[in-house]
Amino acid sequence: MLLKNIQHKPLKHYSDLHAHEFAEKLLNRMTTKEKIGQLYQAPYYSDTVTGHAFDASSTIEEIKMGMVGSLLSVHDEGTLFDLQKVAVEQSRLHIPLIFMFDVIHGYKTAFPINLALSNTWEPNLIYRIAKAIAYETAHAGIHVTFSPMVDLVRDPKWGRVMESNGEDPYLSSELTKAYVSGYQGDSLSNKNAVAACVKHFAGYGFVEAGREYNTVDVSKRKLFTMILPPFRAAVSQNVALTMTAFNTLFDRPATANKYLLKDILRNELGFNGIIISDYTSTEEIISHKVAKDEKDAAKQCFDAGLEHEMVSRTYLNHLQSLLEAGEIDYSALDEAVLRMLMLKYKLGLFDDPYRNLYTNSKQYMLLENTKKLAVEAVEKSVVMLKNDKLLPLSKHEKIGLVGPFIDSKDLIGEWAALCEKSDVVSIKSAFEENHFPFKHFEETAFEDLKNDNEVKTVIVALGESGAHAGEGNSKTNLHLDTHQQNLLKSIKQMDKKVVLIVFAGRPLILTNLINNADAVLYAYQPGTMAGIGLFNLITGKTSPSGKLTMTFPFHEGQVPIYYNHLKTGRPFDEKRPTYRYNSRYIDAPNEPLYPFGYGLSYGVFIYTNLRIDKQNLHPNEQLNVQVTIQNDSIYAAEEVVQLYIESEYYSVSRPVDELKAFKRIKFNPHETKQVDFVLTMNDFRSYNMNMIWTAEISKYQIKVGPSSSEKLSQSIEIKDF
Ligand code: NOJ
């Protein structure tokens, strides 16, 4: 009805074919100015990031004139409704707007930060979480989330590691697929789904020295082997949008990088959705000194394949004259607009532009099931780094609760959308709710703690504030502040047992802390249900099962440190640890404090009898791998079993270990299980010197274990492939 001026009645089926047909008809009726408008994402609230001055009334005027395609970060339902009304009732062609927002680890219910979620190693859980996030987001009237962020990361100084899936391309790819399919569901027209935007294309996780917005310089091989796989995974799930990165790659800003956007993203990965800039990254190519002015920036980005411009206005201001001068192509404009219209069509917006804006969204938020899922996420994402026979605690003794984070609600982390601290359950309140005997000691009452003979065990909660990580929060000092370090030390000196819980948006250096604690739980920022999940772990209702997805350095000077590094011609030799001409430090070990894949459990898992069903693998054959794992404990627990390969020789140097498979397995007390994996020739392939994805005549170690540093191994040969 609203669309009475559009000749073509929207269909109830939202297939690509219908979308294309519909969009083409509409496109034919649009002026060039209206087309360019579809490529613009307007801000609405005033912009504090770049100092651009925006006012709401001019955005409204521009919506009326058909100059706006989508809106950034508007999240008040009433406002969304009003703005959509302007678009569909007052613009000439009544084309609805798309609303996009950063919903990264929860809209109203905060799940653990994404780096913590990756510790679960459970794609199915990520899928269920993404679905729950989409549900809240969609019912708040938002159509697109700027997630998942899949930048491969190796440097905890970079504040944005918190949004990532960690340092491994395979694990990240599996989780990326789960995010995208969870958000998007089977059809974008489903009112519980949102469209996903994978980001940042590409290489942003490699900013030099971990400094935000800094240069990125990686080889083409690193790009293909480490950075691209999760993007490829997102494309395999039909991700709707890709966001470009702020950084340069091969010395060219990603947003104006034709090689990246056209040759790789479109042609090599086969991406068919919309390419959107990251904020003002289009006009920022002037600061990169790659474009001489705004018009030049518009031309370069457009030529490179950038379609939708966020916030800055180089397209609005200059595409028309560039088209008229023949400097860019009308057909490329049509193609970009067509994609935008198709996305609107697939979201069902031509049918119901007020999608989910009729009802009060409150009834969809913080539902019991969503909170239950958030508890599960906390339980599976926390990593137990140490446990000297202390955990789980029993209800029989009164415990002490201490530290700045013991009753803190600053446990959500950055990119929290509309999640609120007031909804967070702190550790202390979880102990209260569960009627667990405890006494809370303020820092000023330490003498009381010391003299309290009833309290023999103390939980100390330390950490960094949420505002210390996330965008724009790079830091060089990866230790907890001295005050907190001293606090822990003084409690340990009281001759009490200490459970240390650390909250942070990144791996911190724990080397000096761990000796002052008998048990350590690394919780990152666990979100709304933090206290409940941690309570369940501490008291043994469930066993810890998270495993690290970023290496924890022993010392800052080791950074970047990651498990899948290449080999050296002069490896460290344990028999001659001080030999000068081997690859080592004179003041620190090479090894991290905790390796990738590491994490303890109340279960005690004994791995034995790794077997493979062939000694030679031929093309089109499967390799069956089996290992026996015994839970030698009285606890039911889950274990993440990891399979790595190591090539003994290959024409290019390959990582010491490459993760190729993993499984999260449930064990009853004292249960023994056989765990199976299947590998194919593809798992042994890599890019050779000519960047051809191929296997070679080679020999491999197949390794299975509880972490990247503890594995059983068997060897296999490949003679033809
Ligand atoms: C900048 C960030 O880099 C990006 O991840 C985010 O989606 C946009 N701003 C929009 O808020």
Side-chain angles (χ1 to χ4, degrees), residues 72 102 146 160 199-200 243 246 278-279 310 415 471:
L72 169 69
D102 289 282
F146 292 129
R160 302 198 75 168
K199 66 191 188 184
H200 304 86
M243 187 186 293
F246 283 124
D278 188 355
Y279 219 80
M310 190 190 293
W415 293 115
E471 186 179 354

Side-chain angles (χ1 to χ4, degrees), residues 31 85 93 119 137 146 150 224 230 237 269 315 364 405 419 453 460 579 624 626 672 701:
T31 63
K85 200 160 159 35
L93 288 173
N119 288 341
T137 310
F146 292 129
V150 304
F224 273 75
Q237 301 303 304
L269 304 192
Y315 281 15
Y364 301 99
F405 283 83
C419 304
N453 292 329
V460 186
Y579 180 60
N624 295 300
Q626 201 175 57
T672 298
Q701 294 298 323

Side-chain angles (χ1 to χ4, degrees), residues 76 132 137 149 226 245-246 268 281 293 320 326 352 368 423 439 478 520 532 690 721:
D76 162 64
T137 310
M149 185 280 216
M226 294 290 162
F246 283 124
E268 164 81 25
S281 60
D293 54 27
Q320 179 113 24
D352 177 11
E368 278 317 307
D423 291 319
K439 192 161 172 201
L478 298 175
V520 181
I532 308 286
N690 301 322
F721 47 89

